[in-house]
PDB file of all heavy atoms in Angstrom:
ATOM      1  N   PRO A  10    -158.926  78.818   3.145  1.00 98.00           N
ATOM      2  CA  PRO A  10    -158.034  78.346   4.206  1.00 98.00           C
ATOM      3  C   PRO A  10    -157.414  77.028   3.734  1.00 98.00           C
ATOM      4  O   PRO A  10    -157.985  76.347   2.877  1.00 98.00           O
ATOM      5  CB  PRO A  10    -158.974  78.082   5.381  1.00 98.00           C
ATOM      6  CG  PRO A  10    -160.258  78.726   5.021  1.00 98.00           C
ATOM      7  CD  PRO A  10    -160.334  78.798   3.548  1.00 98.00           C
ATOM      8  N   ILE A  11    -156.261  76.683   4.282  1.00 98.00           N
ATOM      9  CA  ILE A  11    -155.739  75.348   3.977  1.00 98.00           C
ATOM     10  C   ILE A  11    -156.265  74.411   5.052  1.00 98.00           C
ATOM     11  O   ILE A  11    -156.255  74.732   6.236  1.00 98.00           O
ATOM     12  CB  ILE A  11    -154.203  75.343   3.847  1.00 98.00           C
ATOM     13  CG1 ILE A  11    -153.532  76.034   5.025  1.00 98.00           C
ATOM     14  CG2 ILE A  11    -153.811  76.003   2.539  1.00 98.00           C
ATOM     15  CD1 ILE A  11    -152.014  75.914   5.023  1.00 98.00           C
ATOM     16  N   TYR A  12    -156.774  73.274   4.611  1.00 96.00           N
ATOM     17  CA  TYR A  12    -157.564  72.399   5.490  1.00 96.00           C
ATOM     18  C   TYR A  12    -156.691  71.464   6.303  1.00 96.00           C
ATOM     19  O   TYR A  12    -155.663  70.997   5.832  1.00 96.00           O
ATOM     20  CB  TYR A  12    -158.555  71.592   4.632  1.00 96.00           C
ATOM     21  CG  TYR A  12    -159.545  72.513   3.975  1.00 96.00           C
ATOM     22  CD1 TYR A  12    -159.240  73.143   2.778  1.00 96.00           C
ATOM     23  CD2 TYR A  12    -160.756  72.798   4.585  1.00 96.00           C
ATOM     24  CE1 TYR A  12    -160.116  74.044   2.200  1.00 96.00           C
ATOM     25  CE2 TYR A  12    -161.642  73.691   4.015  1.00 96.00           C
ATOM     26  CZ  TYR A  12    -161.315  74.314   2.825  1.00 96.00           C
ATOM     27  OH  TYR A  12    -162.176  75.200   2.269  1.00 96.00           O
ATOM     28  N   TYR A  13    -157.139  71.168   7.525  1.00 95.00           N
ATOM     29  CA  TYR A  13    -156.454  70.165   8.347  1.00 95.00           C
ATOM     30  C   TYR A  13    -156.834  68.788   7.842  1.00 95.00           C
ATOM     31  O   TYR A  13    -158.016  68.424   7.928  1.00 95.00           O
ATOM     32  CB  TYR A  13    -156.948  70.230   9.799  1.00 95.00           C
ATOM     33  CG  TYR A  13    -156.359  71.325  10.619  1.00 95.00           C
ATOM     34  CD1 TYR A  13    -157.175  72.239  11.270  1.00 95.00           C
ATOM     35  CD2 TYR A  13    -154.983  71.441  10.768  1.00 95.00           C
ATOM     36  CE1 TYR A  13    -156.648  73.260  12.043  1.00 95.00           C
ATOM     37  CE2 TYR A  13    -154.446  72.457  11.538  1.00 95.00           C
ATOM     38  CZ  TYR A  13    -155.284  73.356  12.163  1.00 95.00           C
ATOM     39  OH  TYR A  13    -154.759  74.343  12.924  1.00 95.00           O
ATOM     40  N   HIS A  19    -165.976  67.601   5.237  1.00 88.00           N
ATOM     41  CA  HIS A  19    -167.432  67.528   5.195  1.00 88.00           C
ATOM     42  C   HIS A  19    -167.991  68.719   4.417  1.00 88.00           C
ATOM     43  O   HIS A  19    -167.239  69.548   3.910  1.00 88.00           O
ATOM     44  CB  HIS A  19    -168.012  67.418   6.606  1.00 88.00           C
ATOM     45  CG  HIS A  19    -167.568  68.529   7.534  1.00 88.00           C
ATOM     46  ND1 HIS A  19    -168.003  69.814   7.409  1.00 88.00           N
ATOM     47  CD2 HIS A  19    -166.719  68.527   8.595  1.00 88.00           C
ATOM     48  CE1 HIS A  19    -167.455  70.560   8.349  1.00 88.00           C
ATOM     49  NE2 HIS A  19    -166.655  69.802   9.081  1.00 88.00           N
ATOM     50  N   GLY A  21    -169.306  71.412   5.296  1.00 90.00           N
ATOM     51  CA  GLY A  21    -168.896  72.727   5.819  1.00 90.00           C
ATOM     52  C   GLY A  21    -167.602  73.191   5.176  1.00 90.00           C
ATOM     53  O   GLY A  21    -167.449  74.365   4.816  1.00 90.00           O
ATOM     54  N   HIS A  22    -166.665  72.284   4.999  1.00 93.00           N
ATOM     55  CA  HIS A  22    -165.407  72.640   4.335  1.00 93.00           C
ATOM     56  C   HIS A  22    -165.658  72.962   2.864  1.00 93.00           C
ATOM     57  O   HIS A  22    -165.041  73.852   2.279  1.00 93.00           O
ATOM     58  CB  HIS A  22    -164.412  71.476   4.394  1.00 93.00           C
ATOM     59  CG  HIS A  22    -164.009  71.095   5.783  1.00 93.00           C
ATOM     60  ND1 HIS A  22    -164.310  69.871   6.326  1.00 93.00           N
ATOM     61  CD2 HIS A  22    -163.331  71.779   6.733  1.00 93.00           C
ATOM     62  CE1 HIS A  22    -163.825  69.819   7.550  1.00 93.00           C
ATOM     63  NE2 HIS A  22    -163.242  70.958   7.834  1.00 93.00           N
ATOM     64  N   TYR A  24    -168.150  74.290   1.561  1.00 96.00           N
ATOM     65  CA  TYR A  24    -168.835  75.580   1.418  1.00 96.00           C
ATOM     66  C   TYR A  24    -167.863  76.683   0.991  1.00 96.00           C
ATOM     67  O   TYR A  24    -168.063  77.373  -0.008  1.00 96.00           O
ATOM     68  CB  TYR A  24    -169.483  75.910   2.763  1.00 96.00           C
ATOM     69  CG  TYR A  24    -170.245  77.201   2.855  1.00 96.00           C
ATOM     70  CD1 TYR A  24    -171.182  77.544   1.886  1.00 96.00           C
ATOM     71  CD2 TYR A  24    -170.060  78.064   3.934  1.00 96.00           C
ATOM     72  CE1 TYR A  24    -171.896  78.719   2.000  1.00 96.00           C
ATOM     73  CE2 TYR A  24    -170.783  79.231   4.058  1.00 96.00           C
ATOM     74  CZ  TYR A  24    -171.690  79.560   3.083  1.00 96.00           C
ATOM     75  OH  TYR A  24    -172.407  80.717   3.203  1.00 96.00           O
ATOM     76  N   ASP A  50    -153.013  71.917   5.537  1.00 98.00           N
ATOM     77  CA  ASP A  50    -152.238  72.405   6.679  1.00 98.00           C
ATOM     78  C   ASP A  50    -151.914  71.168   7.512  1.00 98.00           C
ATOM     79  O   ASP A  50    -152.754  70.706   8.262  1.00 98.00           O
ATOM     80  CB  ASP A  50    -153.186  73.364   7.419  1.00 98.00           C
ATOM     81  CG  ASP A  50    -152.635  73.879   8.715  1.00 98.00           C
ATOM     82  OD1 ASP A  50    -151.457  73.684   8.981  1.00 98.00           O
ATOM     83  OD2 ASP A  50    -153.433  74.500   9.460  1.00 98.00           O
ATOM     84  N   TRP A 228    -149.738  77.741  13.375  1.00 97.00           N
ATOM     85  CA  TRP A 228    -150.399  78.850  12.685  1.00 97.00           C
ATOM     86  C   TRP A 228    -149.406  79.744  11.932  1.00 97.00           C
ATOM     87  O   TRP A 228    -149.755  80.330  10.900  1.00 97.00           O
ATOM     88  CB  TRP A 228    -151.259  79.674  13.650  1.00 97.00           C
ATOM     89  CG  TRP A 228    -152.640  79.080  13.758  1.00 97.00           C
ATOM     90  CD1 TRP A 228    -153.115  78.308  14.766  1.00 97.00           C
ATOM     91  CD2 TRP A 228    -153.691  79.188  12.791  1.00 97.00           C
ATOM     92  NE1 TRP A 228    -154.406  77.918  14.490  1.00 97.00           N
ATOM     93  CE2 TRP A 228    -154.794  78.449  13.294  1.00 97.00           C
ATOM     94  CE3 TRP A 228    -153.824  79.830  11.559  1.00 97.00           C
ATOM     95  CZ2 TRP A 228    -155.991  78.339  12.603  1.00 97.00           C
ATOM     96  CZ3 TRP A 228    -155.031  79.714  10.870  1.00 97.00           C
ATOM     97  CH2 TRP A 228    -156.087  78.984  11.388  1.00 97.00           C
ATOM     98  N   ALA A 231    -148.870  77.750   8.908  1.00 98.00           N
ATOM     99  CA  ALA A 231    -150.044  77.700   8.026  1.00 98.00           C
ATOM    100  C   ALA A 231    -150.320  79.039   7.335  1.00 98.00           C
ATOM    101  O   ALA A 231    -150.526  79.093   6.121  1.00 98.00           O
ATOM    102  CB  ALA A 231    -151.267  77.272   8.828  1.00 98.00           C
ATOM    103  N   LEU A 232    -150.306  80.117   8.102  1.00 98.00           N
ATOM    104  CA  LEU A 232    -150.653  81.422   7.508  1.00 98.00           C
ATOM    105  C   LEU A 232    -149.684  81.793   6.388  1.00 98.00           C
ATOM    106  O   LEU A 232    -150.087  82.381   5.372  1.00 98.00           O
ATOM    107  CB  LEU A 232    -150.657  82.512   8.582  1.00 98.00           C
ATOM    108  CG  LEU A 232    -151.831  82.449   9.566  1.00 98.00           C
ATOM    109  CD1 LEU A 232    -151.533  83.259  10.826  1.00 98.00           C
ATOM    110  CD2 LEU A 232    -153.113  82.956   8.903  1.00 98.00           C
ATOM    111  N   ASN A 234    -148.501  80.102   4.221  1.00 98.00           N
ATOM    112  CA  ASN A 234    -148.719  79.396   2.944  1.00 98.00           C
ATOM    113  C   ASN A 234    -149.134  80.352   1.828  1.00 98.00           C
ATOM    114  O   ASN A 234    -148.841  80.124   0.661  1.00 98.00           O
ATOM    115  CB  ASN A 234    -149.767  78.287   3.127  1.00 98.00           C
ATOM    116  CG  ASN A 234    -151.179  78.753   2.810  1.00 98.00           C
ATOM    117  OD1 ASN A 234    -151.645  78.681   1.671  1.00 98.00           O
ATOM    118  ND2 ASN A 234    -151.872  79.278   3.811  1.00 98.00           N
ATOM    119  N   TYR A 235    -149.835  81.428   2.219  1.00 98.00           N
ATOM    120  CA  TYR A 235    -150.365  82.331   1.194  1.00 98.00           C
ATOM    121  C   TYR A 235    -149.249  83.021   0.403  1.00 98.00           C
ATOM    122  O   TYR A 235    -149.465  83.470  -0.718  1.00 98.00           O
ATOM    123  CB  TYR A 235    -151.259  83.396   1.845  1.00 98.00           C
ATOM    124  CG  TYR A 235    -152.440  82.832   2.608  1.00 98.00           C
ATOM    125  CD1 TYR A 235    -152.699  83.214   3.929  1.00 98.00           C
ATOM    126  CD2 TYR A 235    -153.318  81.933   2.005  1.00 98.00           C
ATOM    127  CE1 TYR A 235    -153.788  82.717   4.636  1.00 98.00           C
ATOM    128  CE2 TYR A 235    -154.411  81.422   2.711  1.00 98.00           C
ATOM    129  CZ  TYR A 235    -154.636  81.818   4.019  1.00 98.00           C
ATOM    130  OH  TYR A 235    -155.710  81.320   4.706  1.00 98.00           O
ATOM    131  N   VAL A 260    -162.164  83.059   4.706  1.00 98.00           N
ATOM    132  CA  VAL A 260    -161.908  82.187   5.860  1.00 98.00           C
ATOM    133  C   VAL A 260    -163.168  82.051   6.710  1.00 98.00           C
ATOM    134  O   VAL A 260    -164.007  82.944   6.730  1.00 98.00           O
ATOM    135  CB  VAL A 260    -160.776  82.734   6.770  1.00 98.00           C
ATOM    136  CG1 VAL A 260    -159.491  82.905   6.001  1.00 98.00           C
ATOM    137  CG2 VAL A 260    -161.164  84.038   7.447  1.00 98.00           C
ATOM    138  N   GLY A 261    -163.274  80.947   7.417  1.00 97.00           N
ATOM    139  CA  GLY A 261    -164.400  80.756   8.328  1.00 97.00           C
ATOM    140  C   GLY A 261    -164.274  81.684   9.523  1.00 97.00           C
ATOM    141  O   GLY A 261    -163.170  82.099   9.893  1.00 97.00           O
ATOM    142  N   GLU A 263    -164.305  81.428  12.688  1.00 95.00           N
ATOM    143  CA  GLU A 263    -163.518  81.120  13.888  1.00 95.00           C
ATOM    144  C   GLU A 263    -162.025  81.309  13.662  1.00 95.00           C
ATOM    145  O   GLU A 263    -161.249  81.304  14.613  1.00 95.00           O
ATOM    146  CB  GLU A 263    -163.831  79.706  14.392  1.00 95.00           C
ATOM    147  CG  GLU A 263    -163.061  78.566  13.748  1.00 95.00           C
ATOM    148  CD  GLU A 263    -163.552  78.185  12.361  1.00 95.00           C
ATOM    149  OE1 GLU A 263    -164.248  78.993  11.706  1.00 95.00           O
ATOM    150  OE2 GLU A 263    -163.211  77.077  11.906  1.00 95.00           O
ATOM    151  N   ILE A 264    -161.614  81.495  12.396  1.00 97.00           N
ATOM    152  CA  ILE A 264    -160.183  81.712  12.171  1.00 97.00           C
ATOM    153  C   ILE A 264    -159.902  83.135  11.674  1.00 97.00           C
ATOM    154  O   ILE A 264    -158.809  83.434  11.209  1.00 97.00           O
ATOM    155  CB  ILE A 264    -159.567  80.636  11.249  1.00 97.00           C
ATOM    156  CG1 ILE A 264    -160.270  80.572   9.895  1.00 97.00           C
ATOM    157  CG2 ILE A 264    -159.614  79.271  11.927  1.00 97.00           C
ATOM    158  CD1 ILE A 264    -159.547  79.646   8.917  1.00 97.00           C
ATOM    159  N   HIS A 268    -156.273  85.475  10.987  1.00 98.00           N
ATOM    160  CA  HIS A 268    -156.055  86.162   9.701  1.00 98.00           C
ATOM    161  C   HIS A 268    -156.076  87.673   9.809  1.00 98.00           C
ATOM    162  O   HIS A 268    -155.506  88.356   8.964  1.00 98.00           O
ATOM    163  CB  HIS A 268    -157.109  85.704   8.679  1.00 98.00           C
ATOM    164  CG  HIS A 268    -156.840  84.330   8.153  1.00 98.00           C
ATOM    165  ND1 HIS A 268    -157.193  83.202   8.832  1.00 98.00           N
ATOM    166  CD2 HIS A 268    -156.220  83.913   7.023  1.00 98.00           C
ATOM    167  CE1 HIS A 268    -156.817  82.135   8.144  1.00 98.00           C
ATOM    168  NE2 HIS A 268    -156.224  82.539   7.044  1.00 98.00           N
ATOM    169  N   HIS A 290    -166.483  84.261   6.571  1.00 97.00           N
ATOM    170  CA  HIS A 290    -167.833  83.756   6.268  1.00 97.00           C
ATOM    171  C   HIS A 290    -168.408  82.998   7.462  1.00 97.00           C
ATOM    172  O   HIS A 290    -167.692  82.652   8.401  1.00 97.00           O
ATOM    173  CB  HIS A 290    -167.820  82.862   5.020  1.00 97.00           C
ATOM    174  CG  HIS A 290    -167.040  81.596   5.173  1.00 97.00           C
ATOM    175  ND1 HIS A 290    -167.522  80.506   5.859  1.00 97.00           N
ATOM    176  CD2 HIS A 290    -165.807  81.239   4.732  1.00 97.00           C
ATOM    177  CE1 HIS A 290    -166.626  79.541   5.829  1.00 97.00           C
ATOM    178  NE2 HIS A 290    -165.566  79.959   5.165  1.00 97.00           N
ATOM    179  N   GLY A 291    -169.697  82.722   7.383  1.00 95.00           N
ATOM    180  CA  GLY A 291    -170.373  82.030   8.492  1.00 95.00           C
ATOM    181  C   GLY A 291    -170.224  80.523   8.381  1.00 95.00           C
ATOM    182  O   GLY A 291    -169.563  80.009   7.485  1.00 95.00           O
ATOM    183  N   TRP A 292    -170.844  79.838   9.316  1.00 94.00           N
ATOM    184  CA  TRP A 292    -170.771  78.373   9.353  1.00 94.00           C
ATOM    185  C   TRP A 292    -172.046  77.761   8.800  1.00 94.00           C
ATOM    186  O   TRP A 292    -173.132  78.320   8.936  1.00 94.00           O
ATOM    187  CB  TRP A 292    -170.664  77.891  10.797  1.00 94.00           C
ATOM    188  CG  TRP A 292    -169.341  78.114  11.431  1.00 94.00           C
ATOM    189  CD1 TRP A 292    -168.147  78.322  10.800  1.00 94.00           C
ATOM    190  CD2 TRP A 292    -169.065  78.129  12.835  1.00 94.00           C
ATOM    191  NE1 TRP A 292    -167.149  78.455  11.723  1.00 94.00           N
ATOM    192  CE2 TRP A 292    -167.687  78.339  12.984  1.00 94.00           C
ATOM    193  CE3 TRP A 292    -169.854  77.966  13.974  1.00 94.00           C
ATOM    194  CZ2 TRP A 292    -167.077  78.405  14.223  1.00 94.00           C
ATOM    195  CZ3 TRP A 292    -169.250  78.036  15.203  1.00 94.00           C
ATOM    196  CH2 TRP A 292    -167.881  78.250  15.331  1.00 94.00           C
ATOM    197  N   LEU A 293    -171.893  76.582   8.266  1.00 92.00           N
ATOM    198  CA  LEU A 293    -173.061  75.753   7.985  1.00 92.00           C
ATOM    199  C   LEU A 293    -173.352  74.999   9.275  1.00 92.00           C
ATOM    200  O   LEU A 293    -172.473  74.333   9.818  1.00 92.00           O
ATOM    201  CB  LEU A 293    -172.749  74.708   6.926  1.00 92.00           C
ATOM    202  CG  LEU A 293    -172.678  75.140   5.479  1.00 92.00           C
ATOM    203  CD1 LEU A 293    -172.740  73.911   4.594  1.00 92.00           C
ATOM    204  CD2 LEU A 293    -173.805  76.084   5.135  1.00 92.00           C
ATOM    205  N   LYS A 299    -172.422  73.845  15.020  1.00 65.00           N
ATOM    206  CA  LYS A 299    -171.444  73.770  13.927  1.00 65.00           C
ATOM    207  C   LYS A 299    -171.198  72.312  13.575  1.00 65.00           C
ATOM    208  O   LYS A 299    -171.068  71.471  14.432  1.00 65.00           O
ATOM    209  CB  LYS A 299    -170.121  74.411  14.364  1.00 65.00           C
ATOM    210  CG  LYS A 299    -169.152  74.499  13.204  1.00 65.00           C
ATOM    211  CD  LYS A 299    -167.788  74.988  13.624  1.00 65.00           C
ATOM    212  CE  LYS A 299    -166.855  74.990  12.432  1.00 65.00           C
ATOM    213  NZ  LYS A 299    -165.491  74.708  12.783  1.00 65.00           N
ATOM    214  N   MET A 300    -171.162  72.089  12.255  1.00 64.00           N
ATOM    215  CA  MET A 300    -170.877  70.737  11.811  1.00 64.00           C
ATOM    216  C   MET A 300    -169.416  70.452  12.104  1.00 64.00           C
ATOM    217  O   MET A 300    -168.559  71.253  11.771  1.00 64.00           O
ATOM    218  CB  MET A 300    -171.037  70.768  10.299  1.00 64.00           C
ATOM    219  CG  MET A 300    -171.812  69.663   9.720  1.00 64.00           C
ATOM    220  SD  MET A 300    -171.900  69.936   7.957  1.00 64.00           S
ATOM    221  CE  MET A 300    -173.496  70.674   7.788  1.00 64.00           C
TER     222      MET A 300
HETATM  223  O1  ME8 B   1    -158.958  76.047  10.260  1.00 89.28           O
HETATM  224  N1  ME8 B   1    -169.292  75.638   7.999  1.00 89.28           N
HETATM  225  O2  ME8 B   1    -158.542  74.185   8.984  1.00 89.28           O
HETATM  226  P1  ME8 B   1    -159.939  73.410   9.091  1.00 89.28           P
HETATM  227  C1  ME8 B   1    -168.518  76.501   7.316  1.00 89.28           C
HETATM  228  N2  ME8 B   1    -155.995  74.674   8.967  1.00 89.28           N
HETATM  229  N3  ME8 B   1    -167.196  76.434   7.271  1.00 89.28           N
HETATM  230  C2  ME8 B   1    -166.604  75.454   7.958  1.00 89.28           C
HETATM  231  C3  ME8 B   1    -167.337  74.500   8.699  1.00 89.28           C
HETATM  232  C4  ME8 B   1    -168.741  74.625   8.700  1.00 89.28           C
HETATM  233  N4  ME8 B   1    -169.538  73.783   9.346  1.00 89.28           N
HETATM  234  N5  ME8 B   1    -166.467  73.643   9.261  1.00 89.28           N
HETATM  235  C5  ME8 B   1    -165.222  74.049   8.886  1.00 89.28           C
HETATM  236  C6  ME8 B   1    -158.217  75.334   9.627  1.00 89.28           C
HETATM  237  N6  ME8 B   1    -165.309  75.140   8.110  1.00 89.28           N
HETATM  238  C7  ME8 B   1    -156.776  75.763   9.416  1.00 89.28           C
HETATM  239  C8  ME8 B   1    -156.765  76.908   8.427  1.00 89.28           C
HETATM  240  S1  ME8 B   1    -155.496  78.794   7.043  1.00 89.28           S
HETATM  241  C9  ME8 B   1    -153.992  79.431   7.036  1.00 89.28           C
HETATM  242  C10 ME8 B   1    -155.401  77.467   8.167  1.00 89.28           C
HETATM  243  C11 ME8 B   1    -164.212  75.954   7.563  1.00 89.28           C
HETATM  244  O3  ME8 B   1    -159.792  72.254   8.175  1.00 89.28           O
HETATM  245  C12 ME8 B   1    -163.476  76.631   8.689  1.00 89.28           C
HETATM  246  O4  ME8 B   1    -164.203  77.746   9.128  1.00 89.28           O
HETATM  247  O5  ME8 B   1    -160.284  73.161  10.494  1.00 89.28           O
HETATM  248  C13 ME8 B   1    -162.184  77.001   8.022  1.00 89.28           C
HETATM  249  O6  ME8 B   1    -162.290  78.236   7.392  1.00 89.28           O
HETATM  250  C14 ME8 B   1    -162.015  75.897   6.984  1.00 89.28           C
HETATM  251  O7  ME8 B   1    -163.241  75.164   6.934  1.00 89.28           O
HETATM  252  C15 ME8 B   1    -160.860  74.981   7.269  1.00 89.28           C
HETATM  253  O8  ME8 B   1    -161.016  74.425   8.537  1.00 89.28           O
END
Side-chain angles (χ1 to χ4, degrees):
I11 50 173
Y12 296 85
Y13 281 125
H19 55 71
H22 298 116
Y24 180 49
D50 174 11
W228 273 102
L232 288 162
N234 93 89
Y235 301 128
V260 302
E263 85 283 19
I264 57 172
H268 285 82
H290 65 77
W292 286 340
L293 283 195
K299 187 186 177 212
M300 226 178 261

